[in-house]
Amino acid sequence: MVWRAPRVARAACGLLVGAGIAFSAATVGAQTTSGEAAKTRKGEVDRSLQGGTASPGAAGEAGPVTFQDVLQNPSDPGVNLAYARQLIAEGRLELASATLERILLQYPNLNDVRLLYAIVLFRLDSLDSARSEVELLLSRDTTAQIRSEAERYAGLIQSAQQSLKKTASLSLGGHLDTNRNAYPGGGDFLVLNAPVQGTGKRERDVGWLALGSAEIRYDTGDQKTQELSARVTGIVDNQVKIDPLDVRGAIFEFGMLHKEQIGDIRPRIRYGYIELSQRKYVADSSVGASLDHRMPIAGLTLTVDGELGYEDYSNTDDVPLAKEQEGRYWNAKVGGTYIIDQSMRANGFLHHKDKKARVRFEAYKTWGIELSMLKVFDNNSYLNADAMLDYQKYRSPDPFVSTAKQRSDRDWSLGLTYGLPLLTVIRMVDSDAVMPAGWDDFDLALSGTYTRQDSNIPNYDYGNWRAQFLISKRWNF
């Protein structure tokens, strides 16, 4: 065994499911709910909230402002505005909205405060009220900056109120792997209970990667079943040297958003198709659902997810026994997302998978944990760190390898991604650079990952370093 196609296929499926999540720093840095439309909206809002607006008497920067300060200075717009900004940073938008409204009742001509009020209303999904505030601003003689922001939010509100929303995204890039063929670290193999010295070696290789997605979301207008969605995601990953690991694939997904008192319920149907070296390798059909429940602790959301599916493998020239892996599976995941502040969030999940197969030595159970932390900076760049640890136990020994050893693996990985707007990169060279129309929202993401699999059978014991870059663009129609 020189390389492991099943792991490549699983990695490709993971890329497909996750494609589009990191297409902009603000979108990634602001995620609190599932769904591309929600991410885009919140990302636009957070850029404005983090930037803030200027206002007469906007003091309070010497330290935190408390509600007692507001009670002692109820007519001071600076104290009230500082308190509102603090509430926004803490994610307490309802109280921030009430505070800003109180300022405007006394000082109705503070256009910058009204703009911030409109943004908060937009974030709270009070779109009609937000539109009224924006229209009032556009009817006034304001600064060019306020008018520009008001016009931008007028467009966002109009887009948000459309019942049919369409988005598309595209990422192009490449990656370098130090052990693309997953060659065992010691170079030894176990065959028919006997150790065999391998004749191959680790293969360093470059891959050129393209990820694309298109999505349609329909707002039903119903209070319960609020949204229907359809999405297709595709991947092409071509290796320069190791052609048997060339990947092409697509995932088609249909889902809905249903709201109940317990939280947001998202049922889904998914079909995935993966090719290796231009030959069908696996088709994956599944049904699943997730529940997002906001906890009493501010900023904390609990997520529970379950999925039942079937993997249909096909034998190929490079993987002649792939059919042995065919069978049903079920996944379960529980964890949560904690929004630390407007610029930082943490995720943590426990997961389990039970995989059946035609032969018992290809069936396994997995238990694992995944953690991530994301920080968004003032220039809309972001830094994301993630870690994963899995323990995988196979059901019986593989007689071709060892009749005595039942395979067990411990997989772990560490990753770091830094992303930033492409314009920021260009301005490092030319500070006066201006992007052409339609080119100002490209993003660049640089990442490094180390993946390690420790196995009790030397055939499957390996490590790999990967460096990757992606240039991404997103469209809203």
Side-chain angles (χ1 to χ4, degrees):
M1 177 176 182
V2 179
W3 52 273
R4 297 189 59 219
R7 176 162 298 282
V8 176
R10 287 199 290 271
C13 288
L15 280 171
L16 284 166
V17 173
I21 291 180
F23 284 93
S24 72
T27 299
V28 173
Q31 179 187 2
T32 57
T33 59
S34 299
E36 295 296 333
K39 293 175 193 173
T40 301
R41 179 188 299 184
K42 190 173 186 302
E44 292 284 353
V45 170
D46 284 347
R47 279 201 293 267
S48 297
L49 295 184
Q50 290 167 15
T53 56
S55 178
E61 297 177 1
V65 180
T66 67
F67 187 60
Q68 288 296 328
D69 295 325
V70 175
L71 292 178
Q72 293 172 9
N73 304 276
S75 300
D76 188 328
V79 172
N80 280 267
L81 182 57
Y83 182 59
R85 284 177 173 164
Q86 186 170 306
L87 292 171
I88 290 170
E90 295 171 356
R92 302 161 67 187
L93 298 181
E94 291 85 356
L95 289 176
S97 172
T99 303
L100 293 168
E101 185 178 20
R102 186 169 59 248
I103 297 173
L104 291 171
L105 287 175
Q106 292 183 298
Y107 302 93
N109 294 323
L110 292 180
N111 293 330
D112 46 1
V113 176
R114 190 170 298 278
L115 175 61
L116 186 58
Y117 180 49
I119 293 172
V120 172
L121 290 173
F122 179 72
R123 172 73 175 275
L124 290 170
D125 278 335
S126 299
L127 299 180
D128 291 334
S129 298
R131 186 181 69 244
S132 297
E133 299 298 329
V134 167
E135 290 175 348
L136 180 57
L137 281 171
L138 292 176
S139 70
R140 294 179 173 179
D141 184 16
T142 63
T143 65
Q145 181 181 2
I146 290 177
R147 177 167 292 276
S148 175
E149 282 295 287
E151 289 174 347
R152 186 163 70 93
Y153 272 95
L156 290 173
I157 292 168
Q158 181 180 1
S159 176
Q161 290 183 315
Q162 292 177 351
S163 59
L164 188 64
K165 303 177 180 67
K166 295 167 285 185
T167 61
S169 55
L170 178 66
S171 288
L172 300 175
H175 53 82
L176 170 66
D177 293 271
T178 60
N179 187 13
R180 193 66 184 97
N181 56 339
Y183 197 79
D188 294 330
F189 292 85
L190 196 61
V191 179
L192 299 175
N193 297 313
V196 177
Q197 179 63 41
T199 58
K201 64 177 182 178
R202 295 183 181 184
E203 293 286 350
R204 185 189 302 266
D205 201 1
V206 171
W208 300 111
L209 177 65
L211 287 165
S213 68
E215 185 172 35
I216 297 177
R217 292 182 174 273
Y218 176 68
D219 187 342
T220 65
D222 186 77
Q223 292 296 316
K224 293 288 189 177
T225 304
Q226 296 187 355
E227 186 178 78
L228 304 176
S229 63
R231 178 178 178 179
V232 58
T233 306
I235 180 176
V236 176
D237 189 355
N238 285 328
Q239 299 298 133
V240 172
K241 294 192 301 183
I242 310 177
D243 292 333
L245 295 184
D246 288 347
V247 169
R248 295 191 306 190
I251 282 183
F252 304 87
E253 183 173 319
F254 302 91
M256 67 172 63
L257 169 61
H258 183 81
K259 285 188 175 287
E260 291 290 346
Q261 187 173 0
I262 192 174
D264 295 347
I265 302 172
R266 292 180 169 85
R268 64 181 182 271
I269 300 173
R270 181 182 293 161
Y271 175 80
Y273 178 87
I274 298 291
E275 290 182 352
L276 284 178
S277 191
Q278 301 183 19
R279 300 288 298 274
K280 177 192 172 184
Y281 179 63
V282 60
D284 184 346
S285 305
S286 67
V287 295
S290 66
L291 168 67
D292 294 324
H293 173 72
R294 290 191 177 184
M295 303 296 287
I297 302 173
L300 180 61
T301 300
L302 174 68
T303 299
V304 179
D305 188 280
E307 186 174 42
L308 178 64
Y310 189 88
E311 292 175 330
D312 177 17
Y313 283 87
S314 297
N315 295 332
T316 70
D317 293 339
D318 299 304
V319 194
L321 301 177
K323 198 74 174 174
E324 292 180 344
Q325 304 171 66
E326 184 172 310
R328 67 182 185 276
Y329 66 87
W330 64 268
N331 295 325
K333 183 168 72 171
V334 61
T337 299
Y338 179 56
I339 306 299
I340 301 170
D341 57 36
Q342 289 292 328
S343 66
M344 186 178 294
R345 81 162 187 262
N347 295 314
F349 292 94
L350 299 173
H351 59 258
H352 174 67
K353 180 174 183 177
D354 190 327
K355 172 70 171 71
K356 308 296 184 183
R358 284 193 168 191
V359 293
R360 285 182 58 82
F361 57 80
E362 290 289 3
Y364 59 84
K365 291 185 178 181
T366 299
W367 299 263
I369 183 172
E370 51 196 86
L371 304 170
S372 66
M373 176 78 74
L374 181 122
K375 170 68 177 178
V376 180
F377 302 101
D378 291 340
N379 63 351
N380 286 331
S381 65
Y382 67 92
L383 186 66
N384 186 80
D386 60 83
M388 180 276 294
L389 174 63
D390 276 356
Y391 176 74
Q392 193 162 278
K393 182 73 173 179
Y394 284 75
R395 293 184 180 274
S396 68
D398 182 345
F400 179 76
V401 176
S402 171
T403 56
K405 281 189 176 182
Q406 189 170 337
R407 178 182 166 188
S408 62
D409 300 337
R410 184 175 68 249
D411 300 353
W412 59 273
S413 67
L414 298 172
L416 193 66
T417 299
Y418 179 68
L420 70 168
L422 192 59
L423 179 58
T424 301
V425 180
I426 295 174
R427 284 180 175 170
M428 292 178 182
V429 180
D430 181 1
S431 59
D432 298 323
V434 177
M435 297 289 281
W439 289 72
D440 56 349
D441 57 350
F442 278 78
D443 296 322
L444 172 66
L446 306 172
S447 62
T449 305
Y450 179 70
T451 301
R452 177 72 197 175
Q453 179 166 287
D454 297 311
S455 178
N456 66 333
I457 295 179
N459 308 31
Y460 311 109
D461 195 282
Y462 75 97
N464 179 58
W465 286 94
R466 166 174 286 197
Q468 179 174 289
F469 77 93
L470 284 174
I471 296 176
S472 306
K473 166 91 174 151
R474 182 181 178 83
W475 295 268
N476 294 292
F477 304 101

